[in-house]
Amino acid sequence: MVEEEQNQHLDDDEDGISKFPDCLLGEILSRLPETKYAVRTGALFKRWKHVWHAVPNLDFVNSFQKSYNPQSNARFFSFVDETLTLHRQWKLKKFRLYSGYNLRLESHVNDWIRYAVNCNIEELDLALWDLEYCTTDRDFPLDQFVFMCSSFTHLTLSGWSFNPTGAISWKNLRSLCISFLKLDGNDLIENILSGSPVLQTLELIYCYGDYRWLDITSKSVKKLVFTGYIGSTDDDYGPGKLFEINAPNILSLTIQGDLWLRKLLLLSVSSLVEAHLNYTNHMGVRGTGREEEETLKGLILNLLHVKDLRIGPSCLDLKWIFFW
């Protein structure tokens, strides 16, 4: 399939760009939005035919709509397989994969990720969705070799199942963003922090499960983004629906998105210099409204020392603040 993209070359009246060295052409191709466009440049001139083989960035995106088309999905997986077979770069800067999958394709995905890890990947961005079950119980399992990759500097994961069988060793990881991940208790976050000694930014997006607190005591983490909270799927709206954040060393805090909580508490955020609140509390559906006001008041009281405090429009109707 990849070779078909490279047929029908134009006359070899090379343009000025084609006279650039391969390393520079590879850098140009790596900036294209998806790898498929870099492959297609091989159809321009013979000079370009193999340049994409050494690009440091690989970007594969299979849209949600195409993922549900069996023929289109099969072509996408075949294209990625062949592209990685022809690719010759021993060091990768970035690998991005967005796609749906099913049981028959799981081995392909693991092979791709292992390829990226073996290329000492720095930035890994993976988003997968199950085409057969469409349920969080079928999140893609993350293999243990990923937890032991010390070359990561930036890691973004969505639709994955975290179940490390051993230690986590992300020695160079500086930024971690995980979304729609099941978190039960606080052990996983503690393991991540202990295995990521230079982590600076932690972003949690609509994670779910039974976790009720964040204890970020790492001295390296300076930025925390808490986007949405779903909680356990069988949880109720009882008085125990409480979430606590303890992060004495962070400098920046963002709380946003849809929160299904009775109350959110900040325990220790003494080092904060900037904070942004832009959340919607849905507990008012079965709450009193007063509880929502008390939650926001409590947050503000704990943030009075912050130099840059912003409250966005998604919070409660702020008219009551003027009479506080």
Side-chain angles (χ1 to χ4, degrees):
M1 181 180 296
V2 173
E3 292 298 332
E4 291 177 2
E5 299 274 4
Q6 299 170 343
N7 291 335
Q8 302 300 322
H9 289 268
L10 300 178
D11 293 336
D12 287 331
D13 295 326
E14 293 189 354
D15 60 320
I17 296 180
S18 294
K19 297 178 182 178
F20 291 166
D22 285 357
C23 60
L24 183 54
L25 291 177
E27 181 64 28
I28 293 173
L29 296 185
S30 70
R31 297 177 183 272
L32 294 176
E34 293 182 39
T35 297
K36 65 181 180 181
Y37 300 118
V39 173
R40 290 174 184 173
T41 60
L44 295 176
F45 301 103
K46 291 180 180 179
R47 171 73 173 80
W48 290 69
K49 184 176 181 180
H50 302 293
V51 172
W52 70 268
H53 289 182
V55 293
N57 297 340
L58 292 175
D59 199 330
F60 304 104
V61 178
N62 197 20
S63 69
F64 188 85
Q65 183 178 5
K66 289 182 178 179
S67 288
Y68 279 91
N69 182 318
Q71 292 182 339
S72 177
N73 204 41
R75 286 196 298 269
F76 173 79
F77 272 69
S78 178
F79 172 75
V80 178
D81 280 340
E82 191 171 352
T83 299
L84 296 186
T85 299
L86 296 173
H87 192 255
R88 299 171 185 167
Q89 177 64 271
W90 65 273
K91 180 73 173 70
L92 281 177
K93 179 175 176 57
K94 182 176 181 179
F95 184 95
R96 181 170 73 134
L97 171 66
Y98 290 180
S99 180
Y101 77 96
N102 55 40
L103 288 173
R104 297 181 300 277
L105 301 172
E106 283 191 1
S107 62
H108 290 261
V109 175
N110 276 320
D111 288 342
W112 301 343
I113 299 172
R114 189 176 294 275
Y115 176 89
V117 169
N118 289 338
C119 288
N120 298 302
I121 185 70
E122 295 181 15
E123 301 179 30
L124 187 64
D125 186 352
L126 304 172
L128 293 179
W129 52 91
D130 191 333
L131 299 175
E132 295 179 342
Y133 295 91
C134 296
T135 170
T136 53
D137 292 333
R138 279 281 303 139
D139 288 344
F140 198 99
L142 197 63
D143 275 358
Q144 180 62 27
F145 69 84
V146 179
F147 294 104
M148 300 302 295
C149 182
S150 61
S151 63
F152 291 147
T153 59
H154 298 78
L155 186 57
T156 302
L157 301 170
S158 179
W160 290 79
S161 174
F162 267 49
N163 188 25
T165 57
I168 295 176
S169 182
W170 291 334
K171 297 180 180 179
N172 293 296
L173 187 66
R174 297 195 298 271
S175 174
L176 174 64
C177 175
I178 51 180
S179 56
F180 301 100
L181 169 71
K182 186 175 183 180
L183 297 174
D184 288 326
N186 207 44
D187 291 344
L188 180 57
I189 295 297
E190 290 179 357
N191 290 340
I192 289 174
L193 294 177
S194 63
S196 310
V198 298
L199 185 67
Q200 298 174 2
T201 299
L202 175 62
E203 186 170 0
L204 303 176
I205 303 176
Y206 288 102
C207 292
Y208 63 97
D210 295 326
Y211 82 114
R212 299 294 183 86
W213 67 92
L214 283 176
D215 190 20
I216 313 295
T217 57
S218 167
K219 294 184 178 181
S220 66
V221 178
K222 299 303 180 184
K223 181 177 182 180
L224 174 64
V225 180
F226 184 65
T227 302
Y229 178 85
I230 302 174
S232 176
T233 55
D234 57 356
D235 207 356
D236 200 359
Y237 297 89
K241 195 73 172 185
L242 168 68
F243 196 92
E244 298 176 335
I245 296 177
N246 181 55
N249 300 310
I250 63 171
L251 303 178
S252 174
L253 172 66
T254 297
I255 300 175
Q256 60 189 5
D258 300 308
L259 304 180
W260 295 88
L261 288 169
R262 180 70 68 187
K263 197 168 186 179
L264 176 64
L265 295 179
L266 297 179
L267 300 183
S268 176
V269 287
S270 56
S271 299
L272 274 183
V273 295
E274 64 176 29
H276 185 199
L277 305 179
N278 192 27
Y279 64 86
T280 300
N281 193 329
H282 291 282
M283 294 310 294
V285 175
R286 294 173 64 177
T288 64
R290 180 64 180 175
E291 294 167 332
E292 298 169 345
E293 295 180 5
E294 291 298 327
T295 293
L296 186 54
K297 285 182 180 180
L299 293 176
I300 294 175
L301 285 174
N302 279 283
L303 297 172
L304 291 179
H305 65 286
V306 175
K307 294 181 180 179
D308 181 9
L309 174 59
R310 290 169 289 165
I311 301 176
S314 293
C315 288
L316 299 173
D317 184 352
L318 300 183
K319 62 184 179 181
W320 59 270
I321 291 182
F322 299 107
F323 302 98
W324 182 28

